[in-house]
PDB file of all heavy atoms in Angstrom:
ATOM      1  N   VAL J   1       1.418   2.681  -7.525  1.00  0.00           N
ATOM      2  CA  VAL J   1       2.429   3.627  -7.085  1.00  0.00           C
ATOM      3  C   VAL J   1       2.237   3.890  -5.603  1.00  0.00           C
ATOM      4  O   VAL J   1       1.164   4.323  -5.181  1.00  0.00           O
ATOM      5  CB  VAL J   1       2.355   4.946  -7.870  1.00  0.00           C
ATOM      6  CG1 VAL J   1       3.410   5.922  -7.360  1.00  0.00           C
ATOM      7  CG2 VAL J   1       2.557   4.689  -9.357  1.00  0.00           C
ATOM      8  N   GLU J   2       3.284   3.645  -4.817  1.00  0.00           N
ATOM      9  CA  GLU J   2       3.222   3.803  -3.376  1.00  0.00           C
ATOM     10  C   GLU J   2       3.859   5.109  -2.936  1.00  0.00           C
ATOM     11  O   GLU J   2       4.733   5.659  -3.612  1.00  0.00           O
ATOM     12  CB  GLU J   2       3.943   2.651  -2.673  1.00  0.00           C
ATOM     13  CG  GLU J   2       3.309   1.299  -2.887  1.00  0.00           C
ATOM     14  CD  GLU J   2       4.022   0.219  -2.103  1.00  0.00           C
ATOM     15  OE1 GLU J   2       5.069   0.517  -1.480  1.00  0.00           O
ATOM     16  OE2 GLU J   2       3.532  -0.920  -2.110  1.00  0.00           O
ATOM     17  N   SER J   3       3.450   5.552  -1.763  1.00  0.00           N
ATOM     18  CA  SER J   3       4.055   6.708  -1.132  1.00  0.00           C
ATOM     19  C   SER J   3       3.779   6.646   0.365  1.00  0.00           C
ATOM     20  O   SER J   3       2.951   5.866   0.822  1.00  0.00           O
ATOM     21  CB  SER J   3       3.522   8.013  -1.716  1.00  0.00           C
ATOM     22  OG  SER J   3       2.129   8.146  -1.479  1.00  0.00           O
ATOM     23  N   GLY J   4       4.477   7.465   1.125  1.00  0.00           N
ATOM     24  CA  GLY J   4       4.197   7.612   2.538  1.00  0.00           C
ATOM     25  C   GLY J   4       5.217   7.035   3.492  1.00  0.00           C
ATOM     26  O   GLY J   4       5.095   7.225   4.705  1.00  0.00           O
ATOM     27  N   GLY J   5       6.210   6.337   2.981  1.00  0.00           N
ATOM     28  CA  GLY J   5       7.231   5.793   3.854  1.00  0.00           C
ATOM     29  C   GLY J   5       8.122   6.877   4.421  1.00  0.00           C
ATOM     30  O   GLY J   5       8.066   8.040   4.022  1.00  0.00           O
ATOM     31  N   GLY J   6       8.947   6.485   5.375  1.00  0.00           N
ATOM     32  CA  GLY J   6       9.856   7.437   5.978  1.00  0.00           C
ATOM     33  C   GLY J   6      10.456   6.914   7.250  1.00  0.00           C
ATOM     34  O   GLY J   6      10.360   5.722   7.565  1.00  0.00           O
ATOM     35  N   LEU J   7      11.083   7.808   7.983  1.00  0.00           N
ATOM     36  CA  LEU J   7      11.716   7.494   9.251  1.00  0.00           C
ATOM     37  C   LEU J   7      10.841   7.989  10.391  1.00  0.00           C
ATOM     38  O   LEU J   7      10.412   9.146  10.396  1.00  0.00           O
ATOM     39  CB  LEU J   7      13.098   8.151   9.328  1.00  0.00           C
ATOM     40  CG  LEU J   7      13.846   8.043  10.650  1.00  0.00           C
ATOM     41  CD1 LEU J   7      14.184   6.593  10.962  1.00  0.00           C
ATOM     42  CD2 LEU J   7      15.106   8.897  10.608  1.00  0.00           C
ATOM     43  N   VAL J   8      10.588   7.117  11.349  1.00  0.00           N
ATOM     44  CA  VAL J   8       9.746   7.470  12.478  1.00  0.00           C
ATOM     45  C   VAL J   8      10.296   6.815  13.734  1.00  0.00           C
ATOM     46  O   VAL J   8      10.904   5.745  13.669  1.00  0.00           O
ATOM     47  CB  VAL J   8       8.286   7.045  12.225  1.00  0.00           C
ATOM     48  CG1 VAL J   8       8.167   5.532  12.126  1.00  0.00           C
ATOM     49  CG2 VAL J   8       7.353   7.597  13.284  1.00  0.00           C
ATOM     50  N   GLN J   9      10.110   7.457  14.870  1.00  0.00           N
ATOM     51  CA  GLN J   9      10.544   6.886  16.136  1.00  0.00           C
ATOM     52  C   GLN J   9       9.583   5.811  16.610  1.00  0.00           C
ATOM     53  O   GLN J   9       8.408   5.801  16.226  1.00  0.00           O
ATOM     54  CB  GLN J   9      10.656   7.981  17.196  1.00  0.00           C
ATOM     55  CG  GLN J   9      11.743   9.003  16.913  1.00  0.00           C
ATOM     56  CD  GLN J   9      11.918   9.995  18.038  1.00  0.00           C
ATOM     57  OE1 GLN J   9      11.187   9.975  19.025  1.00  0.00           O
ATOM     58  NE2 GLN J   9      12.894  10.863  17.904  1.00  0.00           N
ATOM     59  N   PRO J  10      10.051   4.877  17.427  1.00  0.00           N
ATOM     60  CA  PRO J  10       9.140   3.876  17.982  1.00  0.00           C
ATOM     61  C   PRO J  10       7.941   4.527  18.653  1.00  0.00           C
ATOM     62  O   PRO J  10       8.071   5.519  19.373  1.00  0.00           O
ATOM     63  CB  PRO J  10      10.018   3.132  18.989  1.00  0.00           C
ATOM     64  CG  PRO J  10      11.402   3.287  18.451  1.00  0.00           C
ATOM     65  CD  PRO J  10      11.443   4.670  17.849  1.00  0.00           C
ATOM     66  N   GLY J  11       6.777   3.950  18.404  1.00  0.00           N
ATOM     67  CA  GLY J  11       5.543   4.505  18.919  1.00  0.00           C
ATOM     68  C   GLY J  11       4.882   5.507  18.000  1.00  0.00           C
ATOM     69  O   GLY J  11       3.733   5.907  18.255  1.00  0.00           O
ATOM     70  N   GLY J  12       5.570   5.902  16.959  1.00  0.00           N
ATOM     71  CA  GLY J  12       5.033   6.868  16.029  1.00  0.00           C
ATOM     72  C   GLY J  12       4.120   6.243  14.994  1.00  0.00           C
ATOM     73  O   GLY J  12       3.828   5.051  15.027  1.00  0.00           O
ATOM     74  N   SER J  13       3.697   7.066  14.052  1.00  0.00           N
ATOM     75  CA  SER J  13       2.733   6.641  13.053  1.00  0.00           C
ATOM     76  C   SER J  13       3.151   7.093  11.663  1.00  0.00           C
ATOM     77  O   SER J  13       3.825   8.110  11.492  1.00  0.00           O
ATOM     78  CB  SER J  13       1.345   7.216  13.360  1.00  0.00           C
ATOM     79  OG  SER J  13       0.867   6.779  14.620  1.00  0.00           O
ATOM     80  N   LEU J  14       2.745   6.326  10.685  1.00  0.00           N
ATOM     81  CA  LEU J  14       2.885   6.665   9.280  1.00  0.00           C
ATOM     82  C   LEU J  14       1.651   6.164   8.554  1.00  0.00           C
ATOM     83  O   LEU J  14       0.998   5.222   9.010  1.00  0.00           O
ATOM     84  CB  LEU J  14       4.123   6.028   8.651  1.00  0.00           C
ATOM     85  CG  LEU J  14       5.497   6.575   9.017  1.00  0.00           C
ATOM     86  CD1 LEU J  14       6.578   5.655   8.453  1.00  0.00           C
ATOM     87  CD2 LEU J  14       5.674   7.984   8.482  1.00  0.00           C
ATOM     88  N   ARG J  15       1.356   6.767   7.431  1.00  0.00           N
ATOM     89  CA  ARG J  15       0.286   6.286   6.582  1.00  0.00           C
ATOM     90  C   ARG J  15       0.811   6.084   5.172  1.00  0.00           C
ATOM     91  O   ARG J  15       1.288   7.028   4.541  1.00  0.00           O
ATOM     92  CB  ARG J  15      -0.901   7.247   6.552  1.00  0.00           C
ATOM     93  CG  ARG J  15      -2.101   6.659   5.797  1.00  0.00           C
ATOM     94  CD  ARG J  15      -3.277   7.606   5.710  1.00  0.00           C
ATOM     95  NE  ARG J  15      -3.049   8.682   4.760  1.00  0.00           N
ATOM     96  CZ  ARG J  15      -4.006   9.452   4.268  1.00  0.00           C
ATOM     97  NH1 ARG J  15      -5.276   9.263   4.646  1.00  0.00           N
ATOM     98  NH2 ARG J  15      -3.705  10.416   3.420  1.00  0.00           N
ATOM     99  N   LEU J  16       0.720   4.862   4.697  1.00  0.00           N
ATOM    100  CA  LEU J  16       1.115   4.542   3.346  1.00  0.00           C
ATOM    101  C   LEU J  16      -0.082   4.650   2.407  1.00  0.00           C
ATOM    102  O   LEU J  16      -1.215   4.369   2.798  1.00  0.00           O
ATOM    103  CB  LEU J  16       1.696   3.136   3.261  1.00  0.00           C
ATOM    104  CG  LEU J  16       2.856   2.809   4.209  1.00  0.00           C
ATOM    105  CD1 LEU J  16       3.385   1.410   3.920  1.00  0.00           C
ATOM    106  CD2 LEU J  16       3.962   3.848   4.101  1.00  0.00           C
ATOM    107  N   SER J  17       0.194   5.053   1.193  1.00  0.00           N
ATOM    108  CA  SER J  17      -0.831   5.140   0.169  1.00  0.00           C
ATOM    109  C   SER J  17      -0.378   4.387  -1.066  1.00  0.00           C
ATOM    110  O   SER J  17       0.812   4.327  -1.367  1.00  0.00           O
ATOM    111  CB  SER J  17      -1.116   6.601  -0.208  1.00  0.00           C
ATOM    112  OG  SER J  17      -1.562   7.339   0.905  1.00  0.00           O
ATOM    113  N   CYS J  18      -1.328   3.833  -1.773  1.00  0.00           N
ATOM    114  CA  CYS J  18      -1.051   3.110  -3.005  1.00  0.00           C
ATOM    115  C   CYS J  18      -2.138   3.451  -4.003  1.00  0.00           C
ATOM    116  O   CYS J  18      -3.307   3.106  -3.791  1.00  0.00           O
ATOM    117  CB  CYS J  18      -0.999   1.608  -2.734  1.00  0.00           C
ATOM    118  SG  CYS J  18      -0.769   0.591  -4.207  1.00  0.00           S
ATOM    119  N   THR J  19      -1.758   4.116  -5.074  1.00  0.00           N
ATOM    120  CA  THR J  19      -2.704   4.530  -6.088  1.00  0.00           C
ATOM    121  C   THR J  19      -2.606   3.613  -7.299  1.00  0.00           C
ATOM    122  O   THR J  19      -1.510   3.342  -7.789  1.00  0.00           O
ATOM    123  CB  THR J  19      -2.460   5.986  -6.504  1.00  0.00           C
ATOM    124  OG1 THR J  19      -2.621   6.835  -5.368  1.00  0.00           O
ATOM    125  CG2 THR J  19      -3.443   6.410  -7.579  1.00  0.00           C
ATOM    126  N   ALA J  20      -3.744   3.162  -7.768  1.00  0.00           N
ATOM    127  CA  ALA J  20      -3.806   2.193  -8.855  1.00  0.00           C
ATOM    128  C   ALA J  20      -4.281   2.845 -10.144  1.00  0.00           C
ATOM    129  O   ALA J  20      -5.113   3.752 -10.135  1.00  0.00           O
ATOM    130  CB  ALA J  20      -4.738   1.044  -8.495  1.00  0.00           C
ATOM    131  N   SER J  21      -3.762   2.351 -11.242  1.00  0.00           N
ATOM    132  CA  SER J  21      -4.221   2.760 -12.561  1.00  0.00           C
ATOM    133  C   SER J  21      -4.131   1.569 -13.495  1.00  0.00           C
ATOM    134  O   SER J  21      -3.488   0.569 -13.183  1.00  0.00           O
ATOM    135  CB  SER J  21      -3.397   3.934 -13.098  1.00  0.00           C
ATOM    136  OG  SER J  21      -2.039   3.570 -13.259  1.00  0.00           O
ATOM    137  N   GLY J  22      -4.761   1.675 -14.656  1.00  0.00           N
ATOM    138  CA  GLY J  22      -4.728   0.592 -15.617  1.00  0.00           C
ATOM    139  C   GLY J  22      -6.112   0.026 -15.882  1.00  0.00           C
ATOM    140  O   GLY J  22      -7.090   0.774 -15.952  1.00  0.00           O
ATOM    141  N   ARG J  23      -6.183  -1.278 -15.989  1.00  0.00           N
ATOM    142  CA  ARG J  23      -7.424  -1.933 -16.345  1.00  0.00           C
ATOM    143  C   ARG J  23      -8.515  -1.704 -15.316  1.00  0.00           C
ATOM    144  O   ARG J  23      -8.241  -1.554 -14.120  1.00  0.00           O
ATOM    145  CB  ARG J  23      -7.201  -3.431 -16.544  1.00  0.00           C
ATOM    146  CG  ARG J  23      -6.798  -4.166 -15.274  1.00  0.00           C
ATOM    147  CD  ARG J  23      -6.523  -5.642 -15.539  1.00  0.00           C
ATOM    148  NE  ARG J  23      -7.707  -6.366 -15.942  1.00  0.00           N
ATOM    149  CZ  ARG J  23      -8.569  -6.937 -15.100  1.00  0.00           C
ATOM    150  NH1 ARG J  23      -8.375  -6.868 -13.797  1.00  0.00           N
ATOM    151  NH2 ARG J  23      -9.622  -7.590 -15.570  1.00  0.00           N
ATOM    152  N   THR J  24      -9.731  -1.700 -15.797  1.00  0.00           N
ATOM    153  CA  THR J  24     -10.877  -1.562 -14.920  1.00  0.00           C
ATOM    154  C   THR J  24     -11.103  -2.853 -14.148  1.00  0.00           C
ATOM    155  O   THR J  24     -11.048  -3.947 -14.709  1.00  0.00           O
ATOM    156  CB  THR J  24     -12.131  -1.211 -15.730  1.00  0.00           C
ATOM    157  OG1 THR J  24     -11.906  -0.002 -16.454  1.00  0.00           O
ATOM    158  CG2 THR J  24     -13.327  -1.028 -14.813  1.00  0.00           C
ATOM    159  N   PHE J  25     -11.360  -2.725 -12.875  1.00  0.00           N
ATOM    160  CA  PHE J  25     -11.606  -3.888 -12.037  1.00  0.00           C
ATOM    161  C   PHE J  25     -12.424  -3.484 -10.827  1.00  0.00           C
ATOM    162  O   PHE J  25     -12.482  -2.306 -10.458  1.00  0.00           O
ATOM    163  CB  PHE J  25     -10.289  -4.535 -11.589  1.00  0.00           C
ATOM    164  CG  PHE J  25      -9.479  -3.663 -10.663  1.00  0.00           C
ATOM    165  CD1 PHE J  25      -9.565  -3.836  -9.296  1.00  0.00           C
ATOM    166  CD2 PHE J  25      -8.629  -2.689 -11.154  1.00  0.00           C
ATOM    167  CE1 PHE J  25      -8.819  -3.049  -8.427  1.00  0.00           C
ATOM    168  CE2 PHE J  25      -7.881  -1.891 -10.306  1.00  0.00           C
ATOM    169  CZ  PHE J  25      -7.979  -2.076  -8.935  1.00  0.00           C
ATOM    170  N   ARG J  26     -13.032  -4.475 -10.204  1.00  0.00           N
ATOM    171  CA  ARG J  26     -13.795  -4.221  -8.989  1.00  0.00           C
ATOM    172  C   ARG J  26     -13.641  -5.319  -7.953  1.00  0.00           C
ATOM    173  O   ARG J  26     -14.060  -5.131  -6.818  1.00  0.00           O
ATOM    174  CB  ARG J  26     -15.275  -4.051  -9.307  1.00  0.00           C
ATOM    175  CG  ARG J  26     -15.963  -5.316  -9.803  1.00  0.00           C
ATOM    176  CD  ARG J  26     -17.444  -5.088  -9.983  1.00  0.00           C
ATOM    177  NE  ARG J  26     -18.135  -6.294 -10.425  1.00  0.00           N
ATOM    178  CZ  ARG J  26     -18.604  -7.228  -9.621  1.00  0.00           C
ATOM    179  NH1 ARG J  26     -18.463  -7.111  -8.305  1.00  0.00           N
ATOM    180  NH2 ARG J  26     -19.234  -8.287 -10.117  1.00  0.00           N
ATOM    181  N   ASP J  27     -13.061  -6.442  -8.328  1.00  0.00           N
ATOM    182  CA  ASP J  27     -12.984  -7.585  -7.432  1.00  0.00           C
ATOM    183  C   ASP J  27     -11.560  -7.983  -7.074  1.00  0.00           C
ATOM    184  O   ASP J  27     -11.314  -9.112  -6.670  1.00  0.00           O
ATOM    185  CB  ASP J  27     -13.728  -8.777  -8.031  1.00  0.00           C
ATOM    186  CG  ASP J  27     -13.178  -9.210  -9.376  1.00  0.00           C
ATOM    187  OD1 ASP J  27     -12.388  -8.452  -9.976  1.00  0.00           O
ATOM    188  OD2 ASP J  27     -13.544 -10.302  -9.840  1.00  0.00           O
ATOM    189  N   TYR J  28     -10.626  -7.062  -7.200  1.00  0.00           N
ATOM    190  CA  TYR J  28      -9.256  -7.326  -6.793  1.00  0.00           C
ATOM    191  C   TYR J  28      -9.146  -7.403  -5.283  1.00  0.00           C
ATOM    192  O   TYR J  28      -9.865  -6.731  -4.554  1.00  0.00           O
ATOM    193  CB  TYR J  28      -8.325  -6.224  -7.292  1.00  0.00           C
ATOM    194  CG  TYR J  28      -7.679  -6.480  -8.626  1.00  0.00           C
ATOM    195  CD1 TYR J  28      -8.437  -6.742  -9.752  1.00  0.00           C
ATOM    196  CD2 TYR J  28      -6.293  -6.425  -8.755  1.00  0.00           C
ATOM    197  CE1 TYR J  28      -7.846  -6.961 -10.969  1.00  0.00           C
ATOM    198  CE2 TYR J  28      -5.691  -6.634  -9.984  1.00  0.00           C
ATOM    199  CZ  TYR J  28      -6.460  -6.903 -11.085  1.00  0.00           C
ATOM    200  OH  TYR J  28      -5.869  -7.105 -12.311  1.00  0.00           O
ATOM    201  N   MET J  29      -8.216  -8.218  -4.827  1.00  0.00           N
ATOM    202  CA  MET J  29      -7.753  -8.144  -3.460  1.00  0.00           C
ATOM    203  C   MET J  29      -6.512  -7.268  -3.444  1.00  0.00           C
ATOM    204  O   MET J  29      -5.557  -7.512  -4.186  1.00  0.00           O
ATOM    205  CB  MET J  29      -7.424  -9.524  -2.908  1.00  0.00           C
ATOM    206  CG  MET J  29      -7.021  -9.529  -1.442  1.00  0.00           C
ATOM    207  SD  MET J  29      -8.404  -9.144  -0.339  1.00  0.00           S
ATOM    208  CE  MET J  29      -9.386 -10.641  -0.505  1.00  0.00           C
ATOM    209  N   MET J  30      -6.541  -6.236  -2.627  1.00  0.00           N
ATOM    210  CA  MET J  30      -5.413  -5.332  -2.497  1.00  0.00           C
ATOM    211  C   MET J  30      -4.652  -5.684  -1.232  1.00  0.00           C
ATOM    212  O   MET J  30      -5.209  -5.624  -0.133  1.00  0.00           O
ATOM    213  CB  MET J  30      -5.873  -3.883  -2.460  1.00  0.00           C
ATOM    214  CG  MET J  30      -6.710  -3.471  -3.668  1.00  0.00           C
ATOM    215  SD  MET J  30      -5.790  -3.596  -5.236  1.00  0.00           S
ATOM    216  CE  MET J  30      -4.476  -2.410  -4.950  1.00  0.00           C
ATOM    217  N   GLY J  31      -3.397  -6.066  -1.403  1.00  0.00           N
ATOM    218  CA  GLY J  31      -2.607  -6.533  -0.290  1.00  0.00           C
ATOM    219  C   GLY J  31      -1.433  -5.630   0.025  1.00  0.00           C
ATOM    220  O   GLY J  31      -0.946  -4.882  -0.825  1.00  0.00           O
ATOM    221  N   TRP J  32      -1.001  -5.705   1.272  1.00  0.00           N
ATOM    222  CA  TRP J  32       0.223  -5.057   1.723  1.00  0.00           C
ATOM    223  C   TRP J  32       1.178  -6.125   2.222  1.00  0.00           C
ATOM    224  O   TRP J  32       0.804  -6.991   3.011  1.00  0.00           O
ATOM    225  CB  TRP J  32      -0.053  -4.059   2.843  1.00  0.00           C
ATOM    226  CG  TRP J  32      -0.804  -2.846   2.415  1.00  0.00           C
ATOM    227  CD1 TRP J  32      -2.146  -2.637   2.495  1.00  0.00           C
ATOM    228  CD2 TRP J  32      -0.246  -1.660   1.843  1.00  0.00           C
ATOM    229  NE1 TRP J  32      -2.467  -1.397   2.011  1.00  0.00           N
ATOM    230  CE2 TRP J  32      -1.304  -0.772   1.602  1.00  0.00           C
ATOM    231  CE3 TRP J  32       1.048  -1.263   1.515  1.00  0.00           C
ATOM    232  CZ2 TRP J  32      -1.119   0.493   1.045  1.00  0.00           C
ATOM    233  CZ3 TRP J  32       1.232  -0.009   0.951  1.00  0.00           C
ATOM    234  CH2 TRP J  32       0.158   0.847   0.729  1.00  0.00           C
ATOM    235  N   PHE J  33       2.419  -6.044   1.756  1.00  0.00           N
ATOM    236  CA  PHE J  33       3.467  -6.951   2.167  1.00  0.00           C
ATOM    237  C   PHE J  33       4.685  -6.142   2.579  1.00  0.00           C
ATOM    238  O   PHE J  33       4.843  -4.985   2.186  1.00  0.00           O
ATOM    239  CB  PHE J  33       3.839  -7.914   1.035  1.00  0.00           C
ATOM    240  CG  PHE J  33       2.761  -8.906   0.703  1.00  0.00           C
ATOM    241  CD1 PHE J  33       1.668  -8.532  -0.059  1.00  0.00           C
ATOM    242  CD2 PHE J  33       2.837 -10.212   1.158  1.00  0.00           C
ATOM    243  CE1 PHE J  33       0.664  -9.438  -0.362  1.00  0.00           C
ATOM    244  CE2 PHE J  33       1.847 -11.131   0.860  1.00  0.00           C
ATOM    245  CZ  PHE J  33       0.762 -10.740   0.102  1.00  0.00           C
ATOM    246  N   ARG J  34       5.556  -6.767   3.343  1.00  0.00           N
ATOM    247  CA  ARG J  34       6.800  -6.107   3.706  1.00  0.00           C
ATOM    248  C   ARG J  34       7.953  -7.092   3.613  1.00  0.00           C
ATOM    249  O   ARG J  34       7.774  -8.300   3.773  1.00  0.00           O
ATOM    250  CB  ARG J  34       6.730  -5.483   5.100  1.00  0.00           C
ATOM    251  CG  ARG J  34       6.509  -6.466   6.237  1.00  0.00           C
ATOM    252  CD  ARG J  34       6.263  -5.698   7.533  1.00  0.00           C
ATOM    253  NE  ARG J  34       6.072  -6.579   8.669  1.00  0.00           N
ATOM    254  CZ  ARG J  34       5.709  -6.156   9.873  1.00  0.00           C
ATOM    255  NH1 ARG J  34       5.494  -4.862  10.093  1.00  0.00           N
ATOM    256  NH2 ARG J  34       5.553  -7.018  10.869  1.00  0.00           N
ATOM    257  N   GLN J  35       9.130  -6.540   3.371  1.00  0.00           N
ATOM    258  CA  GLN J  35      10.293  -7.376   3.136  1.00  0.00           C
ATOM    259  C   GLN J  35      11.531  -6.719   3.720  1.00  0.00           C
ATOM    260  O   GLN J  35      11.749  -5.524   3.556  1.00  0.00           O
ATOM    261  CB  GLN J  35      10.482  -7.615   1.639  1.00  0.00           C
ATOM    262  CG  GLN J  35      11.591  -8.588   1.287  1.00  0.00           C
ATOM    263  CD  GLN J  35      11.602  -8.927  -0.189  1.00  0.00           C
ATOM    264  OE1 GLN J  35      11.214  -8.110  -1.025  1.00  0.00           O
ATOM    265  NE2 GLN J  35      12.038 -10.134  -0.518  1.00  0.00           N
ATOM    266  N   THR J  36      12.340  -7.524   4.384  1.00  0.00           N
ATOM    267  CA  THR J  36      13.639  -7.102   4.886  1.00  0.00           C
ATOM    268  C   THR J  36      14.711  -7.881   4.140  1.00  0.00           C
ATOM    269  O   THR J  36      14.437  -8.939   3.558  1.00  0.00           O
ATOM    270  CB  THR J  36      13.755  -7.330   6.390  1.00  0.00           C
ATOM    271  OG1 THR J  36      13.491  -8.706   6.695  1.00  0.00           O
ATOM    272  CG2 THR J  36      12.762  -6.460   7.144  1.00  0.00           C
TER     273      THR J  36
END
């Protein structure tokens, strides 16, 4: 589940968060992707 997006002016900052639940794991690669 992601959160933290929004509208920001050039030069500004945002912080995205992604909270995971489900199966137990320790060796996942957690990636961020973007799409237009």
